[in-house]
Amino acid sequence: MKFFKLQAVCFCILLTSVAFGQIEKRKLAAKRINSTIKIDGILDEAAWKEAPVADKFISLRPTPFIPESPENATVIYFLYDNEGIYVGGYLHEKSKDSIAAELTGRDGFGNNDFVGVIFDTYNDKLNGFEYFVTPLGEQMDSKVSPNTNGNSEDFSWNAVWESKSQLQADGWTFEMFIPYSAIRFGNKNIQDWGLNIVRRRQKSGQQLFWQSIDPNANGFLTQEGLFTGLENIKPPMRLQFSPYFSTYINHDGAAKENKNKTTFNGGMDVKYGINQAFTLDMTLIPDFGQVQSDNRILNLSPFEQKFNENRAFFTEGTELFGKGDLFYSRRIGLEPAYSKFNPRSENDISLEYPGQAKIINATKISGRTQKGLGIGVLNAITQRQFATFKDNITGQQYTEENMPLTNFNILVFDQTLKNNSSVSLINTNVWRSGDDYDANVTSALFDFNDKKNKWNIGGNVSFSNLIDSKEGTKTGYAHSVYFGKTSGRFNFRIWQDLYNDKYDKSDFGYFTNNNTMDQGAWFGYNWTRPIGWFNQIRINANFWYSRLVTPIDVLKRREMMYQGAGINFNFNGQTKKLWWVGLNISGGPKRNDFYEPRSPGRVFQDKGRIGMNAWWESNSAKKLSWFGNFFVGTGGVFNRRSLDFGLGGKIRFSSKFSVDLGTSVSSAADQAGFAGRDKTINGDPSIIFSRRDVKTIVNEVNIKYNFTNRIGLTLRTRHYWSKVTPKQFYELDLNGKLQTPTIPFTQNVHQNYNSLTADMVFNWQFAQGSFVSIVWKDIADQYQFGGDFEPKYFKNLGNTVDGDQFTSLSLRVIYFLDYLTLKKKLRKKS
């Protein structure tokens, strides 16, 4: 009987495979025009009447493979000329009330209907360009690149192109013009591009595609249709300048002197098309002072906090540099991995110690050849930084270099192969002037899929070198390997990551620890068609096990290899009322923590843990939507009790005005953690842990008002409060157990941290690619270590508001200049 059941299951899997393989690939023939089209959102030019039509869209969500209804028909037209691609369309609805429209700013999808055009210009099923427009005429665009889960979209990439939309009685219309300068393609005389078109109908929860998409298949570019017969298109000379001017009025309440400063800055961003596929981007004397404030926290872990990158130059078009996970762009200027603290005497006073380095310039070159070879080069230089000290005896001030002149360089080669596969080679190099050490990391990657795009195998091999003129070169080794099934309702993946005890990529990448070998497995099953209360359901389970690569002899007492293990089960689904719900259950046995003691060769033996997290999100198409999460957990040597919850919501008062609110509370009672160091009776160093309570509250408010689709005002405020209350102290023995201290630990290691930030931004796009930005920022950080602290939240908030703050008011004007456009204007005048 079991044999026949197994046969039936295999037969069903085979039928699903055959059905997917039989989805017809749609084609759209390109049509060249010689007439002019005005981009106004009104399809009244004669050329549109003879344009090839893309219609009869197919649903992906909530129910796959369902044809769109005639009353909501999607009709899209394509044309091209010597300058670029024209796209127009009519998106039908029963009435205007069926349209979801909200002004959110560029690249903000928000609560919007939209239509998007996806071009795979090299037809390699890996790389693409996406251009979206909403009913109110706002633009979104992204660059698509491969990752281990199919394709990823980089919405930090911004191109300069035209679009307009118009609301109609029975839907909305749009027009786009995508100049060839805003897209990359090969140099064949006749070209066929991969093509798909997506439409979202937010109120109904529908997402539809021109070329139907199987939700159980790996990737979406692999399932695209074709845009055929583009003839003799030539990329124009791509030379664009974006000069900027900025001025800042800053007040630093914590500064010992010169609290108020006014600065004036000027610089330029340059884009130059080296050829039809490769672009040089350069920023000269960059100014990143208007980027959003970081979400700082009280970091109790032994590892550095990783921050998001908000500087546009280091996020836009950097998908090649992200391969191999060697590139943490904040190492350039913001979070240097290396600095020196070198007063002439240990008693001298530090007056000013720069934690960041000023960028002199940064340049990147990226693109892809017709044969699928992607090449990326990024180079940045940061200038020397000097710390200011005061001689404790003479009172004289002096400076010492704390960061040398540093050059950062990354080089990437990425060759696409058939079957959505690729191989890559990445090298990062950090060179420092003088006698300071240099760093170099090289990694080779591969990612292969079978012909049917169902099975995947990949990995990488990496070598790191720390080059010191005095101590020689230290070489480290790392590798990763994975294998899995990536298409179908049931998928899995098994993997292993290994870093030996000398591997170190932290000079240019984010890296926490080496000497570790982690392996695990992931299994998932999807229901992508409606079932019961749900439109779709996904469940998965993860298992992992971690050990050291090189055993640590814990002070010559015994060897330890095991670090930890864990398991978690996940469920998430979308209900038929368009709510999302999820549940996670996780746990693990006892573990050996080699990092929390903050001392090489020492270990802390912790007990097992278990936890459960539930979350939900209401229908975001409603004017009032809300979300929440709830976590409970216990475990550890002191039977820690964790309770976390969060609530938030969004109120849309109109298509222009909305408010987002969010609050989260985290509480851990009887948590074990590092507290400090002391000495034993014999004078030997001892490591002190505490049984502590940790409480954290985060509140965030985002207010948005968009006057038009080119003018907007936003305000973001965030208050973070965290306190640590030790209740009892223990000494870590040589076996990793916690014991009563031989000498009572009397240090006060209470901690209290408040971070309050406010960012108000007025942004006006007064021309294509040209902006005026006025930004007001206020940052208040209060960190207290030792002593008695205010235990109540609102008094902490009040004390932070009343304390020293850094305040900045800035104006920045950036103007986009295109060489060909200027040339045409000059010709007309002459």
Side-chain angles (χ1 to χ4, degrees):
M1 186 67 178
K2 290 182 179 179
F3 173 75
F4 290 109
K5 288 183 178 180
L6 179 61
Q7 279 189 320
V9 170
C10 293
F11 181 68
C12 290
I13 293 174
L14 179 62
L15 284 178
T16 302
S17 172
V18 171
F20 172 67
Q22 291 177 343
I23 294 177
E24 181 183 355
K25 292 296 180 183
R26 304 181 73 177
K27 296 181 181 180
L28 193 71
K31 181 178 177 60
R32 179 185 286 273
I33 59 171
N34 297 314
S35 57
T36 302
I37 291 181
K38 181 182 178 181
I39 304 300
D40 55 11
I42 303 172
L43 305 173
D44 55 356
E45 287 85 0
W48 289 123
K49 297 178 180 180
E50 298 181 3
V53 178
D55 57 4
K56 299 179 181 178
F57 279 49
I58 304 296
S59 173
L60 171 65
R61 299 188 182 97
T63 306
F65 306 120
I66 301 298
E68 65 181 353
S69 62
E71 61 187 7
N72 300 315
T74 308
V75 184
I76 310 295
Y77 307 95
F78 284 81
L79 297 166
Y80 77 103
D81 62 13
N82 292 332
E83 306 295 328
I85 308 291
Y86 296 88
V87 186
Y90 205 124
L91 298 99
H92 293 272
E93 294 285 355
K94 289 182 179 179
S95 67
K96 283 186 178 180
D97 294 336
S98 301
I99 302 171
E102 177 188 14
L103 289 171
T104 60
R106 188 181 176 109
D107 290 332
F109 284 89
N111 184 56
N112 273 306
D113 289 354
F114 64 74
V115 64
V117 179
I118 306 162
F119 291 120
D120 174 6
T121 56
Y122 294 95
N123 199 21
D124 61 8
K125 310 294 189 291
L126 292 169
N127 301 278
F129 301 88
E130 299 180 325
Y131 307 87
F132 301 85
V133 67
T134 70
L136 297 181
E138 290 189 316
Q139 295 181 347
M140 297 86 76
D141 46 20
S142 80
K143 205 170 186 180
V144 183
S145 58
N147 66 15
T148 54
N149 296 316
N151 301 108
S152 65
E153 298 166 297
D154 176 15
F155 283 96
S156 65
W157 179 80
N158 288 318
V160 178
W161 49 286
E162 295 182 65
S163 66
K164 285 290 179 65
S165 300
Q166 297 285 343
L167 294 175
Q168 309 292 342
D170 61 343
W172 58 285
T173 56
F174 76 93
E175 288 178 314
M176 293 181 186
F177 173 64
I178 304 166
Y180 294 134
S181 60
I183 198 167
R184 306 291 176 266
F185 52 89
N187 58 0
K188 291 182 178 179
N189 290 331
I190 301 178
Q191 301 192 32
D192 294 341
W193 294 357
L195 171 67
N196 214 338
I197 312 160
V198 58
R199 177 187 180 185
R200 183 172 80 174
R201 301 182 63 243
Q202 177 74 346
K203 291 185 177 180
S204 67
Q206 273 192 307
Q207 191 172 20
L208 306 108
F209 284 82
W210 171 66
Q211 174 66 62
S212 64
I213 298 291
D214 185 338
N216 293 316
N218 180 32
F220 60 90
L221 290 186
T222 57
Q223 306 179 62
E224 64 197 7
L226 283 175
F227 188 38
T228 64
L230 289 156
E231 296 185 7
N232 300 317
I233 58 173
K234 302 295 181 183
M237 180 179 181
R238 290 182 285 116
L239 179 58
Q240 300 163 348
F241 304 93
S242 297
Y244 81 87
F245 165 79
S246 65
T247 181
Y248 292 80
I249 302 173
N250 296 333
H251 172 79
D252 189 351
K256 296 179 181 179
E257 53 187 38
N258 299 324
K259 291 179 180 290
N260 299 309
K261 292 182 179 179
T262 300
T263 60
F264 298 91
N265 309 289
M268 181 182 295
D269 294 340
V270 180
K271 285 182 181 289
Y272 173 62
I274 300 172
N275 57 26
Q276 76 275 5
F278 288 88
T279 302
L280 180 147
D281 292 89
M282 179 180 294
T283 180
L284 305 173
I285 319 176
D287 171 28
F288 301 118
Q290 290 191 335
V291 299
Q292 180 180 295
S293 302
D294 290 324
N295 290 339
R296 297 196 173 272
I297 64 171
L298 176 61
N299 185 8
L300 299 177
S301 80
F303 311 117
E304 72 169 314
Q305 181 185 354
K306 186 176 183 181
F307 295 100
N308 292 329
E309 177 60 88
N310 296 317
R311 300 172 296 178
F313 182 85
F314 295 109
T315 60
E316 182 180 331
T318 57
E319 72 286 343
L320 277 174
F321 306 115
K323 289 183 174 293
D325 196 25
L326 303 180
F327 178 51
Y328 180 37
S329 58
R330 288 182 64 110
R331 290 285 182 244
I332 304 173
L334 292 180
E335 308 290 337
Y338 175 74
S339 63
K340 299 174 285 188
F341 186 78
N342 49 3
R344 295 170 185 172
S345 169
E346 62 180 14
N347 296 320
D348 289 351
I349 301 170
S350 173
L351 298 179
E352 185 176 359
Y353 187 82
Q356 299 179 347
K358 185 174 179 60
I359 299 173
I360 299 174
N361 66 62
T363 304
K364 60 189 177 188
I365 299 173
S366 62
R368 190 171 296 274
T369 69
Q370 185 69 48
K371 294 184 178 180
L373 176 61
I375 302 175
V377 181
L378 185 148
N379 197 84
I381 301 173
T382 58
Q383 69 181 28
R384 299 172 72 195
Q385 301 297 310
F386 293 88
T388 304
F389 298 96
K390 182 178 181 180
D391 190 294
N392 193 44
I393 298 175
T394 66
Q396 292 184 338
Q397 295 184 14
Y398 63 93
T399 60
E400 294 288 346
E401 180 186 84
N402 80 313
M403 279 184 261
L405 177 75
T406 306
N407 188 87
F408 297 86
N409 181 270
I410 180 169
L411 173 65
V412 182
F413 296 96
D414 176 58
Q415 178 63 59
T416 60
L417 305 171
K418 64 179 182 179
N419 301 329
N420 197 29
S421 303
S422 65
V423 292
S424 308
L425 180 69
I426 303 102
N427 177 265
T428 66
N429 190 78
V430 179
W431 173 87
R432 299 181 174 95
S433 63
D435 295 331
D436 298 296
Y437 78 95
D438 304 324
N440 185 281
V441 181
T442 300
S443 182
L445 293 78
F446 67 96
D447 187 79
F448 299 144
N449 294 282
D450 71 324
K451 188 175 182 179
K452 294 183 178 180
N453 196 33
K454 289 187 176 182
W455 299 93
N456 172 252
I457 186 170
N460 66 71
V461 175
S462 303
F463 294 93
S464 68
N465 290 284
L466 301 182
I467 306 162
D468 193 302
S469 59
K470 298 176 181 178
E471 299 181 6
T473 299
K474 184 172 75 171
T475 300
Y477 167 81
H479 76 242
S480 297
V481 64
Y482 51 86
F483 169 74
K485 181 175 178 288
T486 54
S487 291
R489 294 180 66 174
F490 170 73
N491 297 308
F492 72 89
R493 179 177 178 147
I494 55 177
W495 56 270
Q496 181 189 81
D497 297 330
L498 181 147
Y499 308 98
N500 77 359
D501 60 347
K502 294 182 176 60
Y503 183 79
D504 189 351
K505 64 176 181 179
S506 61
D507 287 272
F508 208 163
Y510 179 80
F511 192 55
T512 55
N513 59 284
N514 55 21
N515 191 24
T516 184
M517 182 171 67
D518 306 326
Q519 45 266 310
W522 174 92
F523 302 91
Y525 193 85
N526 306 322
W527 287 267
T528 54
R529 291 179 177 273
I531 177 173
W533 293 348
F534 292 90
N535 285 326
Q536 58 175 288
I537 297 175
R538 301 177 187 275
I539 59 172
N540 63 72
N542 296 272
F543 312 88
W544 61 270
Y545 172 85
S546 178
R547 53 164 286 177
L548 301 177
V549 177
T550 302
I552 293 179
D553 189 355
V554 183
L555 297 185
K556 302 186 182 298
R557 289 183 175 246
R558 60 177 176 165
E559 290 186 342
M560 289 188 176
M561 294 289 285
Y562 167 75
Q563 291 194 95
I567 182 173
N568 66 69
F569 299 95
N570 303 283
F571 159 87
N572 69 78
Q574 184 193 47
T575 71
K576 291 185 177 178
K577 293 187 177 182
L578 305 184
W579 282 51
W580 286 93
V581 294
L583 180 69
N584 168 273
I585 300 174
S586 62
K590 64 181 181 179
R591 63 192 180 102
N592 293 320
D593 190 336
F594 296 95
Y595 314 105
E596 188 63 21
R598 323 289 168 99
S599 181
R602 298 296 297 274
V603 65
F604 164 55
Q605 293 192 359
D606 203 5
K607 292 185 178 179
R609 73 281 180 197
I610 190 170
M612 182 183 73
N613 179 61
W615 59 270
W616 62 93
E617 297 175 6
S618 72
N619 183 353
S620 61
K622 303 292 186 181
K623 288 189 175 182
L624 173 62
S625 59
W626 67 295
F627 62 87
N629 68 281
F630 183 82
F631 172 82
V632 291
T634 186
V637 293
F638 300 126
N639 293 317
R640 165 190 48 80
R641 300 177 307 283
S642 295
L643 177 62
D644 305 344
F645 67 88
L647 285 174
K650 179 176 182 177
I651 307 172
R652 288 187 297 107
F653 296 95
S654 69
S655 62
K656 296 181 177 181
F657 180 42
S658 66
V659 177
D660 290 82
L661 305 167
T663 185
S664 65
V665 178
S666 175
S667 176
D670 296 328
Q671 180 190 82
F674 176 82
R677 304 181 190 277
D678 208 351
K679 292 184 178 180
T680 63
I681 296 176
N682 299 325
D684 297 328
S686 65
I687 298 172
I688 302 299
F689 273 56
S690 69
R691 179 170 62 88
R692 65 196 185 190
D693 292 345
V694 181
K695 186 174 184 179
T696 301
I697 299 176
V698 184
N699 284 300
E700 186 171 327
V701 179
N702 290 273
I703 301 173
K704 171 193 67 68
Y705 189 90
N706 283 59
F707 302 92
T708 71
N709 59 7
R710 289 173 174 258
I711 304 175
L713 179 68
T714 62
L715 172 64
R716 176 184 182 267
T717 62
R718 174 183 180 267
H719 178 234
Y720 171 96
W721 173 50
S722 185
K723 68 173 183 176
V724 180
T725 307
K727 295 166 26 176
Q728 193 170 356
F729 297 103
Y730 300 83
E731 183 178 334
L732 184 70
D733 70 18
L734 299 181
N735 294 317
K737 306 289 187 181
L738 298 181
Q739 309 292 348
T740 302
T742 53
I743 298 178
F745 184 74
T746 58
Q747 297 179 33
N748 189 326
V749 292
H750 288 65
Q751 298 182 67
N752 193 71
Y753 178 63
N754 283 271
S755 175
L756 177 64
T757 60
D759 296 77
M760 180 179 286
V761 180
F762 172 81
N763 203 45
W764 171 30
Q765 182 181 353
F766 61 90
Q768 286 293 108
S770 303
F771 299 88
V772 172
S773 300
I774 301 174
V775 176
W776 173 76
K777 299 176 71 171
D778 188 86
I779 302 172
D781 279 316
Q782 286 193 350
Y783 176 65
Q784 299 167 289
F785 184 85
D788 297 322
F789 307 125
E790 173 55 55
K792 295 183 179 180
Y793 172 80
F794 287 104
K795 287 191 175 182
N796 269 276
L797 176 59
N799 292 339
T800 307
V801 172
D802 294 336
D804 293 332
Q805 301 180 25
F806 175 84
T807 306
S808 174
L809 178 63
S810 62
L811 166 69
R812 188 171 191 261
V813 180
I814 184 167
Y815 193 79
F816 175 78
L817 298 169
D818 180 75
Y819 170 78
L820 288 181
T821 303
L822 286 174
K823 189 176 179 180
K824 289 178 182 178
K825 288 182 178 180
L826 291 173
R827 281 181 178 175
K828 287 181 179 180
K829 289 183 179 181
S830 61

